[in-house]
Amino acid sequence: MNSQREFVAALLDPERDCPAQLTTWNGSDPAVRFAVYRNNVLSSLVDALAASFPVVQQLLGEAFFRAMAALYVRQSPPRTRILAEYGADFADFIEAFAPASSLPYLADVARLERLRVRAYHAADVAPLASETLTAALAAPDRLRDLLLQLQPALGLLDSSFAVVSLWAAHQGSLQIADVDPHQAQSALVLRNGLQVEVIGIHQSDSLFIQALQAGLTLGHAAEQAHALNDAFDLGTCLAHLLRAGAITHSAYNHQRQLP
């Protein structure tokens, strides 16, 4: 076990010597072979981060991004063999990374991109049939007690910055010169088929959806959203979630699930 820890430590720290117990089958210098292996591991993990955070890389430039990502890799090596899960706390690292402080929105852009990765790999759950929800909404006396379950692929981000517009600009949907990065935005991230969508929503809509995710009834979730914004439109928000296939189950509080 000590030799394994020594190997991992040396693999991620270029200042450490090659582990003394390493040998090669053909008699070549173990230190040279280990240096190649160390470089390949580091490069592969940086590549994985670049694939998960392409807009962050575009905002920083490739050279800056790869230098920053290499520091992250050495500080936070993978804890699972599933590379799609790597970088879960990369946004927190960026937020504390002083050389990137001139881009205060960068960490939230990373959080948005992490939500996209999570959405893409989330479990598949069939959406609720529209007629089922329509039938439930047709009983206004029971509407307050309705519970809605949402797709596991759905994610939300409330940011002090224009993360949706920044992301869209790097997809060619907006001109980056037209984006005010300091405008607060809320993002809804979900998967529709195999396509991951990033949608700008009102903060009250975000609060409503978060309340549903927390298990609150439709009535209580709507009350919270209305308290934040009198203009919150429950019907429009529900229609959008239904069209996106974001609602998977419905039930009345403390009673059986609707068919």
Side-chain angles (χ1 to χ4, degrees), residues 174-186:
L174 291 174
Q175 293 296 321
I176 189 67
D178 296 333
V179 176
D180 176 7
H182 297 282
Q183 178 185 5
Q185 289 183 337
S186 294

Side-chain angles (χ1 to χ4, degrees), residues 120-135:
Y120 185 81
H121 293 282
D124 289 321
V125 181
L128 183 71
S130 58
E131 55 268 22
T132 301
L133 184 58
T134 300

Side-chain angles (χ1 to χ4, degrees), residues 58-102:
Q58 290 169 23
L59 287 166
L60 287 172
E62 184 177 358
F64 190 111
F65 177 88
R66 294 189 71 85
M68 180 183 71
L71 293 175
Y72 171 80
V73 168
R74 294 187 177 108
Q75 175 181 305
S76 303
R79 304 191 183 282
T80 170
R81 68 186 70 183
I82 304 173
L83 279 182
E85 297 181 5
Y86 188 51
D89 61 348
F90 191 43
D92 294 337
F93 175 87
I94 292 172
E95 197 164 43
F97 190 62
S101 60
S102 62

Side-chain angles (χ1 to χ4, degrees), residues 137-157:
L137 296 177
D141 56 321
R142 304 186 67 190
L143 201 57
R144 180 178 178 80
D145 295 324
L146 189 64
L147 293 167
L148 298 177
Q149 187 172 332
L150 305 179
Q151 286 279 2
L154 186 148
L156 294 162
L157 177 65

